[in-house]
């Protein structure tokens, strides 16, 4: 049985810069993890592909042995009741550091510590990155791209908002980032305009929620996933521009007996 509850969307007026100081420590930790993981050579194709991630390092064992692995085909699970009825997005326009990290194009973001309130817990937005094609599926439908907005709370717990991307109109919010995508691995680009992160979300915030994992090594579990049911749009040219850098940077869907999915409307 499905239960539909109202998710309240609140917009705070605080500037992202006010809380920059507090976010720095976590951003540094994040960068360190990113570097460590990148040092271990994993890929989407060839002998280091997702089938072999767990063999590359003892730290990657969850990729093969986890029971709550992401991504999934959301509607292949029975969608159950909801534990929370409140999801708040407090995103503000922020400057971004756009980096080609060898696995995707990632926008590291200076954001407030309460960018996302989920189930009463506050999370800071750390970074936004992209996969092509999409990683999650809805009943077997595979969108051309998926955006992941990665958040972390004080205890280091991760919450990721996933947004499907379909081909359509030009996405003017992302146009600033897409002006010059970093082509070389480890290349950074600093777009002039702030990114209005709130406007990256679809108009209707119906989400699928489940507890899963990182979709990249080390495939750590305990990641709270909020996958938006409705896609946003990028133009054909914008999708092509991303695919010039990365195509097929998606982990295949995982079949997980123990997972349960909730729909929050
Ligand atoms: Zn991702």
């Amino acid at each position: 049985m499905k239960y539909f509850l109202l998710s309240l969307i609140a917009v705070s007026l605080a500037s992202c810069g006010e809380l920059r100081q507090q976010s720095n420590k976590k951003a540094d930790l994040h960068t360190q993890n990113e570097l460590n993981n990148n040092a271990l050579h994993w890929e989407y194709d060839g002998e280091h592909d997702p089938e072999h991630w767990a063999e590359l390092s003892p730290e990657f064992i969850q990729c093969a042995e986890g029971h709550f692995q992401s991504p999934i085909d959301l509607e292949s699970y029975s969608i159950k009741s909801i534990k929370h009825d409140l999801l708040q997005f407090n995103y503000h326009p922020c400057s971004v550091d756009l980096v080609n990290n060898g696995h995707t194009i990632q926008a590291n973001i200076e954001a407030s510590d309460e960018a996302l309130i989920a189930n009463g817990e506050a999370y800071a937005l750390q970074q936004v990155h992209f996969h092509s094609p999409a990683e999650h599926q809805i009943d077997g439908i595979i969108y051309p791209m998926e955006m992941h907005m990665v958040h972390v709370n004080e205890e280091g717990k991760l919450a990721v908002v996933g947004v499907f991307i379909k081909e359509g109109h030009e996405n003017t919010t992302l146009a600033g980032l897409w002006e010059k995508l970093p082509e070389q691995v480890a290349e950074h680009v600093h777009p002039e305009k702030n990114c209005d992160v709130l406007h990256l979300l679809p108009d209707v915030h119906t989400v699928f929620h489940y507890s899963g994992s990182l979709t990249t090594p080390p495939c750590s579990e305990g990641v709270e996933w909020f996958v938006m049911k409705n896609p946003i749009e990028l133009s054909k040219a914008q999708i092509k521009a991303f695919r010039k850098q990365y195509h097929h940077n998606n982990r295949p869907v995982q079949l997980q007996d123990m997972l349960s999915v909730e729909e929050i409307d």
Side-chain angles (χ1 to χ4, degrees):
M1 183 186 278
K2 292 181 186 177
Y3 296 85
F4 298 94
L5 293 182
L6 185 69
S7 73
L8 297 179
I9 311 305
V11 179
S12 153
L13 295 173
S15 119
C16 52
E18 290 169 23
L19 293 160
R20 198 169 293 166
Q21 196 85 31
Q22 298 165 31
S23 324
N24 279 351
K25 198 173 158 199
K26 276 187 294 203
D28 290 347
L29 272 174
H30 173 74
T31 308
Q32 195 57 48
N33 287 339
E34 188 181 287
L35 289 174
N36 289 344
N37 289 341
N38 284 343
L40 295 160
H41 194 64
W42 58 269
E43 292 180 341
Y44 289 99
D45 290 302
E47 56 186 28
H48 295 160
D49 74 1
E51 288 294 307
H52 298 93
W53 285 351
E55 299 158 20
L56 300 176
S57 163
E59 289 174 31
F60 296 175
I61 195 69
Q62 290 282 72
C63 300
E65 297 190 359
H67 294 289
F68 301 92
Q69 291 290 294
S70 299
I72 56 170
D73 181 349
L74 293 152
E75 289 191 359
S76 66
Y77 295 83
S78 57
I79 296 171
K80 295 180 182 171
S81 63
I82 302 164
K83 293 177 193 151
H84 55 81
D85 60 357
L86 193 67
L87 202 59
Q88 294 180 3
F89 298 98
N90 303 322
Y91 299 146
H92 317 293
C94 281
S95 63
V96 305
D97 162 34
L98 201 61
V99 61
N100 181 333
N101 69 10
H103 304 293
T104 186
I105 304 293
Q106 179 170 306
N108 294 317
I109 288 180
E110 292 182 358
S112 76
D113 274 1
E114 298 193 349
L116 173 72
I117 311 286
N119 203 15
E121 285 193 63
Y123 293 85
L125 177 63
Q126 282 194 321
Q127 46 104 340
V128 177
H129 65 264
F130 302 86
H131 298 270
S132 179
E135 294 204 303
H136 287 90
Q137 297 177 18
I138 292 188
D139 215 12
I141 297 170
I142 304 171
Y143 283 98
M145 287 181 66
E146 182 173 338
M147 173 175 71
H148 287 161
M149 308 167 90
V150 181
H151 310 73
V152 64
N153 75 2
E154 284 293 329
E155 287 77 46
K157 183 174 178 174
L158 295 174
V160 185
V161 173
V163 182
F164 294 119
I165 296 173
K166 70 173 184 181
E167 188 182 312
H169 293 103
E170 186 193 25
N171 188 311
T172 52
T173 308
L174 277 180
L177 301 192
W178 251 240
E179 260 175 29
K180 188 186 179 310
L181 295 174
E183 291 181 11
Q184 307 298 323
V185 173
E187 182 186 349
H188 289 254
V189 170
H190 297 97
E192 273 181 31
K193 265 183 76 177
N194 283 354
C195 181
D196 192 354
V197 186
L198 189 65
H199 286 101
L200 290 178
L201 297 173
D203 293 338
V204 179
H205 294 167
T206 305
V207 295
F208 293 105
H209 167 242
Y210 74 98
S211 185
S213 76
L214 297 178
T215 64
T216 56
C219 308
S220 316
E221 298 188 334
V223 176
E224 295 299 315
W225 276 96
F226 299 92
V227 182
M228 294 273 169
K229 189 173 189 175
N230 298 295
I232 59 170
E233 293 183 8
L234 260 71
S235 68
K236 189 173 185 175
Q238 286 178 313
I239 292 171
K240 194 176 167 190
F242 179 83
R243 286 185 169 173
K244 200 176 149 200
Q245 310 298 331
Y246 288 101
H247 194 18
H248 186 48
N249 66 339
N250 62 314
R251 186 188 193 194
V253 290
Q254 308 292 302
L255 292 170
Q256 302 289 303
D257 293 341
M258 295 167 82
L259 269 181
S260 62
V261 178
E262 307 165 338
E263 183 170 348
I264 306 169
D265 197 5

